[in-house]
Amino acid sequence: MTIIGYLVLGLLFVAGPLSPRDAASVREGKDITDTVKETFKVRPGGTLYLELDYGNIEVVTSSGDRVVVELERTVRVNDEDEARELLERYHEYSIEQDGGDVTVVSKYQGRGSRWGGNNKNNLKIRVKVEVPFDYNVDFESGAGNVAVTRLEGDVSGKTGAGNIDMERVMGAVDITTGAGNINIEGGSSQVEVNTGAGNVELRDVEGSVRANTGAGNITAYIVRQPEDDSRLETGAGNVTVYLDNGAGVYVDAVASMGSASCDFSLEVKGKWMTKSFEGEINGGGPDLFMRAGVGNVSLRRR
């Protein structure tokens, strides 16, 4: 099943800047929301594909065998007739089912409007999807926040700018944001996260961890014995790992310009600004690689 629509973010195309009257009209407009809702019957194990040029994404789960998509579009205009006209022009979207998979696409088509072509100030896109517990999510957004809650499947995707929050995702996680914070709480057999600038916090992670940020702090709570290597790196910021007291790992931790500290029986070495510690904990095991370019590295008992 396919739905196609168009939404404009400007009222009329003009080459010059806003007149005082036009600017006042935009400021004094009101928010009008249009919501599209579609329901699909699916089998567990399918994948939800989300492709947005921008907008916020929220994925929640239920015990049913259906996918429910709500595409919410809010535009600032003067009245409902004006909103209806704009909703037919410059925003293209589709919601489709292909076997057990569902795909949601959202694209802004407007350019050069009297709003200066900057749709983010006047159009808000929000996609909320309800999926079965045993379902996968694959998302891509040019800009926007992403939230996924209580999922047994895998999650992969990227957003150009925005925060990513996940809770109790039991499958593999592979996510990236160009600029934003990443927070994962609970679950996950394997976690790989990347942010160009932002903090990373991983709580009660049960598997291996790979986390990288260009600028920001990384905090990870490893609650069980990891089965594979973990690697945590920041260009500028602190790396702090809380390790289960009985977990066995081989630690390799270096702060190129900063300090180092370890609650376990490993000696901190170094001179000048570089500090490090290395060695086996509880008989050794998979590698725990920690790096801070400008910042501190810390290994704590949990």
Side-chain angles (χ1 to χ4, degrees):
M1 179 177 183
T2 303
I3 305 172
I4 302 294
Y6 296 93
L7 171 67
V8 69
L9 297 185
L11 302 179
L12 296 171
F13 175 83
V14 293
L18 284 174
S19 69
R21 180 177 179 180
D22 286 340
S25 176
V26 171
R27 288 195 303 269
E28 295 171 2
K30 60 182 179 179
D31 288 341
I32 295 179
T33 298
D34 172 79
T35 301
V36 178
K37 185 173 181 178
E38 293 292 326
T39 300
F40 306 93
K41 186 177 179 61
V42 298
R43 294 178 180 177
T47 300
L48 170 66
Y49 296 97
L50 297 156
E51 301 175 22
L52 285 70
D53 53 4
Y54 81 96
N56 295 330
I57 295 169
E58 180 181 1
V59 180
V60 299
T61 53
S62 73
S63 58
D65 58 353
R66 62 179 189 170
V67 170
V68 181
V69 180
E70 291 187 12
L71 172 61
E72 183 180 274
R73 305 172 296 174
T74 301
V75 61
R76 176 162 286 271
V77 290
N78 293 316
D79 55 49
E80 292 186 4
D81 289 339
E82 185 177 35
R84 189 177 301 109
E85 179 183 352
L86 304 182
L87 289 170
E88 293 175 353
R89 292 190 179 181
Y90 290 96
H91 178 257
E92 180 180 347
Y93 70 88
S94 65
I95 305 173
E96 300 179 340
Q97 180 178 13
D98 182 8
D101 302 334
V102 174
T103 300
V104 181
V105 178
S106 169
K107 294 181 179 180
Y108 169 64
Q109 302 294 338
R111 292 292 181 269
S113 72
R114 82 172 187 184
W115 284 335
N118 185 0
N119 57 318
K120 296 183 180 64
N121 292 332
N122 303 284
L123 171 68
K124 296 178 181 178
I125 298 292
R126 175 176 175 268
V127 177
K128 181 177 180 180
V129 187
E130 179 184 310
V131 300
F133 285 111
D134 185 9
Y135 215 67
N136 306 303
V137 176
D138 187 329
F139 67 87
E140 182 172 356
S141 175
N145 300 324
V146 179
V148 182
T149 304
R150 298 186 181 278
L151 192 71
E152 293 183 3
D154 299 336
V155 178
S156 62
K158 60 183 179 180
T159 178
N163 300 324
I164 303 178
D165 295 283
M166 297 190 180
E167 179 182 350
R168 301 300 301 174
V169 174
M170 305 308 295
V173 173
D174 185 353
I175 54 177
T176 298
T177 176
N181 300 323
I182 296 176
N183 296 286
I184 297 178
E185 183 170 356
S188 298
S189 59
Q190 182 176 348
V191 175
E192 183 165 351
V193 299
N194 297 275
T195 175
N199 298 323
V200 176
E201 183 165 355
L202 310 172
R203 287 185 171 272
D204 297 336
V205 176
E206 298 180 3
S208 62
V209 173
R210 295 180 181 270
N212 183 283
T213 176
N217 300 322
I218 298 176
T219 304
Y221 296 77
I222 301 176
V223 299
R224 292 187 181 179
Q225 172 65 44
E227 297 181 359
D228 203 351
D229 298 342
S230 293
R231 190 179 188 97
L232 303 96
E233 299 179 82
T234 177
N238 302 322
V239 176
T240 305
V241 175
Y242 293 85
L243 182 66
D244 183 86
N245 195 48
V249 295
Y250 186 91
V251 180
D252 180 357
V254 177
S256 297
M257 295 181 64
S259 65
S261 60
C262 180
D263 288 352
F264 297 85
S265 57
L266 298 179
E267 181 184 359
V268 175
K269 301 178 180 179
K271 57 184 178 178
W272 302 104
M273 288 180 284
T274 299
K275 299 293 186 294
S276 66
F277 53 88
E278 182 178 7
E280 294 182 351
I281 292 178
N282 294 325
D287 290 344
L288 175 56
F289 186 91
M290 303 165 63
R291 288 292 186 275
V294 180
N296 307 320
V297 292
S298 303
L299 183 61
R300 304 298 185 204
R301 292 182 186 271
R302 182 185 181 278

